[in-house]
Amino acid sequence: LNLLIEIEEGEPVTVDTIRIDHPEETKEVNLDSLFRRMNRKPQLLNGERFRDEAINMDLQLLDDAFRTLGFAYARTGYRLNLNPDEFTTGIHYSVDAGPLSYFGKTMVTGNKHVSEEFIRKQLKYEEGRLYDQYLLTRTRQALYQLQLFSVVSVLPQKNNETQESPIPVRIYVQEAPRISTRFGAGYGTEEQFRTFLDFTYRGFLGSARRINLRLKHSALEPYSARLRWIQPQFIGMNTSIAIEPFIMRNAEPGYDVRTFGIRIPFNYVFNRWLDSNLSYYLEDTEQSIEAGDEEFTD
């Protein structure tokens, strides 16, 4: 059985005007600046082809934008002013902001080894503060960046029927395995037998510290060992430091190199788009050549 489906697309409809009506108390808000803060932008602009998926995304964007201003129960509707002769349409958004809301108590569940006190230190919002959905997103990102959790959920417990305030927040975490190990082995014509071991311990000595040990061996690299001790939030929430001692040997045909040293990188995150790294590096290298090499008589 063959099934033939014919589709006649017709002319595309483009957007010619966009209008957004929102509450009087937010008339001074610059929505473009708000969208940049959220690192998002509208899908439908003047001259763009109209798409149902895009307008649904823009409705969600407007809802989220007003929820960063304290309007936790904001809802956006729309209507279209279609001009079938010109194949254009205008979009009229209408925002029902609802009442101003505030943060309530925070409940933390799911943690086993990581203390609740430490998790609460990562919160970007405070009880009693004006509701801001963006701060909930930043809290979730801060918890993920610790690399202690495989699942992080930061959910406001809103009641859309009563639109009650303050709004409690429930944080659920699922901790990543505290110990993880990777091992590999193989054989190559140059390296011959080769193997490696990668060991990570999260939550080392409490907090978010972690250590990582990587060992390697092959004919060209008889031994290589690198230990990394990482301390997030070293001075402040946006800083981290690591101590990385290492020792290795390269046994290439014609020469032999033994190296040991230490690297201490310091990292500071300014924002989501800019971070900096300053490293101190100390290395001691001893290189020897193959006995009888005519190019190097001494």
Side-chain angles (χ1 to χ4, degrees), residues 53-118:
E53 179 185 6
I55 199 168
N56 289 331
M57 294 175 65
D58 286 350
L59 288 171
Q60 186 63 56
L61 173 62
L62 285 168
D63 286 347
D64 291 345
F66 282 91
R67 290 168 188 167
T68 67
L69 301 175
F71 300 97
Y73 298 97
R75 288 288 183 270
T76 304
Y78 75 97
R79 71 170 185 267
L80 302 178
N81 300 318
L82 182 64
N83 185 341
D85 295 330
E86 299 293 334
F87 297 101
T88 60
T89 186
I91 305 175
H92 180 194
Y93 296 104
S94 179
V95 180
D96 178 10
L100 279 173
S101 301
Y102 298 85
F103 285 116
K105 295 184 180 297
T106 297
M107 301 163 288
V108 178
T109 60
N111 56 308
K112 296 180 180 179
H113 302 98
V114 183
S115 70
E116 180 175 330
E117 179 184 2
F118 179 75

Side-chain angles (χ1 to χ4, degrees), residues 62-202:
L62 285 168
D63 286 347
D64 291 345
F66 282 91
R67 290 168 188 167
T68 67
L69 301 175
F71 300 97
Y73 298 97
R75 288 288 183 270
T76 304
Y78 75 97
R79 71 170 185 267
L80 302 178
N81 300 318
L82 182 64
N83 185 341
D85 295 330
E86 299 293 334
F87 297 101
T88 60
T89 186
I91 305 175
H92 180 194
Y93 296 104
S94 179
V95 180
D96 178 10
L100 279 173
S101 301
Y102 298 85
F103 285 116
K105 295 184 180 297
T106 297
M107 301 163 288
V108 178
T109 60
N111 56 308
K112 296 180 180 179
H113 302 98
V114 183
S115 70
E116 180 175 330
E117 179 184 2
F118 179 75
I119 293 175
R120 288 183 179 275
K121 288 182 179 180
Q122 316 308 315
L123 305 186
K124 304 301 181 182
Y125 61 91
E126 297 176 1
E127 183 180 349
R129 181 174 175 175
L130 189 67
Y131 183 88
D132 186 339
Q133 184 166 286
Y134 177 65
L135 297 180
L136 298 179
T137 299
R138 288 187 57 200
T139 297
R140 184 173 64 251
Q141 293 171 344
L143 289 168
Y144 264 127
Q145 288 171 358
L146 295 173
Q147 299 186 27
L148 295 174
F149 308 105
S150 56
V151 175
V152 177
S153 174
V154 182
L155 294 177
Q157 305 299 292
K158 296 189 293 185
N159 190 322
N160 292 318
E161 294 182 0
T162 63
Q163 297 190 348
E164 65 180 4
S165 176
I167 299 174
V169 179
R170 179 178 179 269
I171 296 179
Y172 170 76
V173 296
Q174 182 175 313
E175 296 180 9
R178 291 174 67 81
I179 297 177
S180 59
T181 305
R182 294 192 304 137
F183 172 80
Y187 185 86
T189 55
E190 289 186 324
E191 295 182 308
Q192 300 179 21
F193 174 74
R194 59 179 183 267
T195 184
F196 80 92
L197 173 67
D198 192 292
F199 172 85
T200 300
Y201 186 167
R202 298 175 179 85

Side-chain angles (χ1 to χ4, degrees), residues 222 249-258 286-290:
R249 178 188 171 196
N250 289 324
E252 296 282 349
Y255 66 90
D256 195 311
V257 180
R258 293 173 174 84
E286 178 184 337
Q287 179 170 323
S288 59
I289 60 174
E290 187 176 13

